Amino acid sequence: MEHRRRPSVVAFDVVGTLFSLEPVSRRLTEAGFAETALAEWFSRFLHASVALDVAGVFVPFREVATATLEVMAAERGLASPRPAAEKVIEGISELPAHADVRPAFQGLRDAGIRIVALTNGSAQATRHLLRQASLETFVERIVSIEEVRHWKPRLEVYLHAASVAGVLPGLMCLVAAHAWDILGADHAGLLTAWIARKEKKFHSAMGAPDVTGETLTDVVATLVALPA
């Protein structure tokens, strides 16, 4: 960490990092899925999105998320797989912010560090989540993969975020709860910070984050303490 500088801008992953997927989990259970279905859906959803990107095809978040769940519903013999999938995915609009988000955002604001949201979802959906959690005023810009038509962890996404923010990649930090997201940001030249949410150990094949923490406030405290 000695060679790292305090970032001018911190980019936050959104789903899973800032906002909990609990409402989706609850809807899955109500629709007849097992309690473990959330992890399966998220994994298969990410697999589908990466496969599409590798094939050179861009499909937006909501469509990939719904289609993935529709396949899972059909496999389990649920009646009307598409309507069932759409009802579950509606839960994404209800995601609550984790308790450590506001104090982390405030800590960055107090330190004069800018905040952006970097999402695989749409800007509109992300703005809705930030607004209903009363966090919108902290975030200067929402950067969606729809702007570059590539999914994270493609390098183009992180480089675009730095460009939009008007800083060199090395002066932006990505904060995420997913090792694959950290991997992409690191290879794009960003500072990286991983928070242990669902993942309790960083995937060793994906390198190592510059900063780790149990909470976002831990992560922010470490970033703010870096030399300016």
Side-chain angles (χ1 to χ4, degrees):
M1 289 294 296
E2 292 80 4
H3 66 291
R4 296 293 188 176
R5 293 172 57 189
R6 181 193 300 177
S8 300
V9 184
V10 174
F12 285 90
D13 170 59
V14 176
V15 175
T17 301
L18 297 180
F19 295 92
S20 168
L21 278 163
E22 177 54 35
V24 176
S25 180
R26 184 172 61 251
R27 288 189 179 222
L28 282 166
T29 303
E30 291 170 353
F33 288 89
E35 292 184 1
T36 58
L38 178 64
E40 180 186 353
W41 165 74
F42 197 66
S43 177
R44 292 175 66 165
F45 159 66
L46 291 173
H47 180 273
S49 66
V50 171
L52 286 162
D53 205 350
V54 169
V57 179
F58 179 76
V59 181
F61 180 101
R62 191 180 186 88
E63 187 174 340
V64 179
T66 304
T68 301
L69 192 55
E70 182 182 9
V71 171
M72 291 173 59
E75 290 171 352
R76 286 157 176 77
L78 299 184
S80 306
R82 185 71 183 188
E86 290 174 343
K87 185 174 182 180
V88 171
I89 297 304
E90 285 294 332
I92 292 176
S93 66
E94 304 171 355
L95 303 186
H98 288 289
D100 55 1
V101 176
R102 177 173 293 277
F105 278 10
Q106 187 63 55
L108 290 172
R109 173 179 280 181
D110 292 345
I113 298 175
R114 299 153 56 199
I115 300 171
V116 302
L118 180 57
T119 179
N120 271 340
S122 70
Q124 180 180 3
T126 301
R127 187 172 295 107
H128 169 76
L129 292 175
L130 290 168
R131 184 178 294 130
Q132 72 177 7
S134 299
L135 295 168
E136 188 179 22
T137 57
F138 288 99
V139 179
E140 130 182 344
R141 174 74 147 79
I142 297 169
V143 183
S144 167
I145 62 167
E146 294 180 359
E147 297 173 31
V148 292
R149 299 180 69 81
H150 283 299
W151 284 75
K152 293 190 288 177
R154 282 285 292 263
L155 303 189
E156 292 92 333
V157 178
Y158 309 98
L159 295 175
H160 174 70
S163 176
V164 164
V167 297
L168 295 172
L171 291 179
M172 173 175 276
C173 177
L174 175 80
V175 178
H178 315 293
W180 53 265
D181 208 354
I182 296 296
L183 171 69
D186 178 59
H187 280 262
L190 275 66
L191 189 70
T192 58
W194 177 73
I195 175 174
R197 295 249 194 247
K198 292 293 184 182
E199 299 174 12
K200 296 304 180 185
K201 184 180 187 304
F202 193 84
H203 197 304
S204 60
M206 297 191 184
D210 296 299
V211 173
T212 62
E214 294 294 321
T215 68
L216 286 182
T217 47
D218 292 339
V219 165
V220 165
T222 302
L223 292 175
V224 169
L226 290 173

